[in-house]
Amino acid sequence: MPELALFRPADSPDAAERLASFIRHARDDLTVFGADLDWDAPAWELRGVDKVSGRPRTPRANWGHPVKKAPRSPDDYVPLDPRNVDFFKTCLRYRFGLAPRMNVLLPLTAIRLLDRALSVGGRTITEARCDEFNAAAAACRSAYSLSNSYRVGLELQAIGRFLDDHGLVLRPLAWVSPIRRPTSFDRIGAGPARRRARKLPSERAIAALGEAYRRAGHPMDVIAVCAYALLLAGHGRISELHRLDAYDCEVEVMDGGRKRYGLRWRPSKGGQPETRWIPTALVPLAKEALRRLREVTEPARELARKYAAGESILPRNDPGDPFARDSWISRKGLQSVAIPQSLFLALRRKGFDISGTPAGNPHAPRALLYPRARIEEGLRAYLPRGFPVADAGSGLDCRRALLIRTGSMSVRSKTLFWRLSLVTSDEIEQTMNGSDQGTGGLFRRLGLLEDDGGTVRITPHQLRHYMTTLANEGGLSQLDIASWAGRGDVRHNACYDHETAASLVDKARRVDEDLFGAAVRATPRRPVDAGQLMRGVPVAVHLTKYGACLHDFSMSPCPVYRDCLNCVEHACVKGDRRAEKALRERLAIMERSIAAAARAAAAGEPSSAIWLSRKQVELARLRELAALIDDETIPEGAVLTLDAEARYAVDRDAGGLCIAAPVDGPESGPGVP
């Protein structure tokens, strides 16, 4: 059976009949999410959906409305309207088959919003109107952020277009999402300030992170603070840390006599493997964090090597245990692994119901023995999914994974040494910030507070926003920022740039002090009288790149805007090093450019002759000015002007090439007034 078969609507004019055929097609003909998918289940396991590194659970689709903030079971959901749930299941399965990399959370959110809007009006999906879609969009805007609302609005629009295209509604919708795409160009005001506060850690929080890094001692605390340190140094996503090889992730090379240090990195979101170079100032931090991580997680990798080699999880029989047997284990042996009663409950959750057998010892008639092989099988069911592979995308092995731990690293228990697990992204964040259930994180346990008295809180993604903002403030190019952060599209940098308006102005001033003007100094100026206007006395002069403009703007605007070198009212002052340097640089550029354009014109390149006709005269004027500057008979401070106005016509020389010739201009040449 094919993974995906395109849906062709029935020829019936009845929308309900078309919808029924669509549902039958998705339920019976498709194998998306697995051929054995239980269609009527309240929750689907979405096999085939890409799992995020550091979050090993397979994504699920619960067909209901959550009744609590963090639902954990199907009982925490109110089922969708039974009249429409089959269409929504069909829509998700069919659309994911068309676009396997689709983010399933967005259509699920759109489905729940639309289901609620339809239920309020008591309508089925075939009776849907624009009113229901507008109500869903309004609810979306009130419940989610601007960026999430925009994306969910597009999912609602896609559902409406599908209904129209396949004739599944009684009346065409032609609905377009009213939620506009948000912009991030506003940087002034209370709103942008609040958004920056949510996206960026405060300076006090960054200082607290350094304090936590220094004082962390418990294994999980060390893992969390070192993970945060690597995120700062590598400008990465937390999911990318789970692909680091503990023994082969560092790169050190000599580049131009300077040592460079980087990490072998596998970016998320389709990025290609690369070497993520670490800024020189952060190299000691990255090296120290890696060293501490390796030390604290090495016992877990050693345990993974033993389990992968087939060694038993259960301890060997203790010669001093009077109840020891070859294929059985006593309660005393189990106590070296975990509390027996808790262990039996854990195994029962995996489907292993363990019962004891009397040991037959007359001195201990109530002593029991338990089947070693059955318990061993149950314990192995608790190994990471796919063991010994830690990350299916990169092929990283648990025996080499950097972020792996044993059960003894848990704060709650010291005896679960057998429990081998991969450190998840949620565990790292909860170790630092605490959980929603009120468990205090490392910041709270160390008493690290914000300026307002609240406990410091930093999410891993805030560090990514923070490093991009620092890179922008430091003047790094957008291409370099995108490359360093592992972004495929340079436009995505804008979502992570939270510079303030003041910082942008300061950066602009550093680039060019004249961009926003120097400090204002009031200089009294008398009004221009009629005599000055009649005599044409210049009342103001402004500097240009190559000298000064003598044009009187009180009489007329500039007749040759931005063409100063070809203007008779432009002057150069001999001895002005700034202007002389600009003139010579322009002369060198024009000589190279005109030589290349002449070759192109000879080869018949279109439009090259026209460009030559304009620039050959400019080259001549540049050479005349350079000759005047080099003339030793002209003293320093002399004002140099070219009297002949540059007006052009296209002509051809004896070889047929286009040349430029001045027309109707005065015959006088350059001079010194």
Side-chain angles (χ1 to χ4, degrees), residues 42-96:
W44 285 1
E45 189 176 80
L46 304 180
R47 282 175 284 177
V49 178
D50 290 340
K51 291 184 290 186
V52 179
S53 298
R55 290 182 170 85
R57 295 181 181 177
T58 301
R60 295 173 63 86
N62 287 280
W63 299 108
H65 301 278
V67 295
K68 57 172 62 175
K69 185 176 181 181
R72 296 182 177 274
S73 68
D75 296 335
D76 297 332
Y77 291 85
V78 175
L80 300 181
D81 190 332
R83 297 175 297 174
N84 299 318
V85 67
D86 282 339
F87 165 75
F88 292 136
K89 291 179 178 179
T90 299
C91 188
L92 182 67
R93 194 178 200 186
Y94 185 79
R95 290 189 59 215
F96 187 81

Side-chain angles (χ1 to χ4, degrees), residues 529-538:
D529 57 29
Q532 288 178 308
L533 290 174
M534 293 297 292
R535 292 191 301 270
V537 177

Side-chain angles (χ1 to χ4, degrees), residues 25-296:
H25 168 74
R27 183 181 58 226
D28 302 333
D29 298 340
L30 304 185
T31 60
V32 180
F33 305 141
D36 58 344
L37 180 68
D38 184 0
W39 182 267
D40 297 321
W44 285 1
E45 189 176 80
L46 304 180
R47 282 175 284 177
V49 178
D50 290 340
K51 291 184 290 186
V52 179
S53 298
R55 290 182 170 85
R57 295 181 181 177
T58 301
R60 295 173 63 86
N62 287 280
W63 299 108
H65 301 278
V67 295
K68 57 172 62 175
K69 185 176 181 181
R72 296 182 177 274
S73 68
D75 296 335
D76 297 332
Y77 291 85
V78 175
L80 300 181
D81 190 332
R83 297 175 297 174
N84 299 318
V85 67
D86 282 339
F87 165 75
F88 292 136
K89 291 179 178 179
T90 299
C91 188
L92 182 67
R93 194 178 200 186
Y94 185 79
R95 290 189 59 215
F96 187 81
L98 291 175
R101 296 190 66 85
M102 180 178 68
N103 182 351
V104 294
L105 295 179
L106 293 175
L108 277 174
T109 303
I111 283 169
R112 288 170 180 150
L113 291 168
L114 184 56
D115 176 79
R116 195 179 299 277
L118 290 169
S119 299
V120 170
R123 301 181 184 277
T124 63
I125 193 67
T126 57
E127 301 168 336
R129 303 177 305 178
C130 291
D131 293 344
E132 282 76 34
F133 280 84
N134 288 333
C140 179
R141 268 190 293 212
S142 62
Y144 301 103
S145 64
L146 292 176
S147 58
N148 287 336
S149 297
Y150 170 73
R151 291 185 290 175
V152 174
L154 293 182
E155 292 296 331
L156 288 169
Q157 182 174 307
I159 295 174
R161 185 183 300 116
F162 186 88
L163 291 170
D164 282 343
D165 292 344
H166 296 86
L168 303 179
V169 284
L170 299 176
R171 291 177 295 276
L173 295 168
W175 186 80
V176 177
S177 173
I179 306 175
R180 292 185 177 181
R181 183 171 187 165
T183 59
S184 57
F185 301 112
D186 51 335
R187 300 178 185 272
I188 301 175
R194 286 193 297 268
R195 284 196 292 274
R196 279 194 297 272
R198 289 196 301 268
K199 298 289 186 180
L200 294 177
S202 65
E203 293 301 323
R204 178 70 187 95
I206 293 296
L209 180 59
E211 181 71 11
Y213 179 83
R214 185 180 65 84
R215 295 171 58 184
H218 189 275
M220 271 306 298
D221 293 343
V222 173
I223 291 174
V225 295
C226 290
Y228 271 50
L230 289 178
L231 289 177
L232 274 175
H235 198 177
R237 305 175 181 90
I238 191 169
S239 61
E240 296 167 348
L241 295 182
H242 300 277
R243 306 188 190 107
L244 288 180
D245 189 320
Y247 306 117
D248 186 27
C249 65
E250 294 181 283
V251 179
E252 291 192 76
V253 298
M254 295 298 296
D255 183 11
R258 188 177 63 178
K259 184 178 290 187
R260 298 184 69 188
Y261 176 83
L263 300 175
R264 289 188 175 89
W265 206 267
R266 289 182 175 270
S268 299
K269 300 187 177 180
Q272 296 300 314
E274 62 179 0
T275 297
R276 180 68 58 84
W277 299 109
I278 307 299
T280 304
L282 297 175
V283 167
L285 174 64
K287 288 185 175 181
E288 174 70 11
L290 274 175
R291 183 191 64 78
R292 294 178 70 183
L293 269 175
R294 287 195 189 103
E295 288 181 357
V296 78

Side-chain angles (χ1 to χ4, degrees), residues 469-485:
T469 303
L470 286 185
N472 276 286
E473 290 178 348
L476 200 64
S477 73
Q478 294 302 308
L479 286 174
D480 288 335
I481 293 174
S483 176
W484 183 28

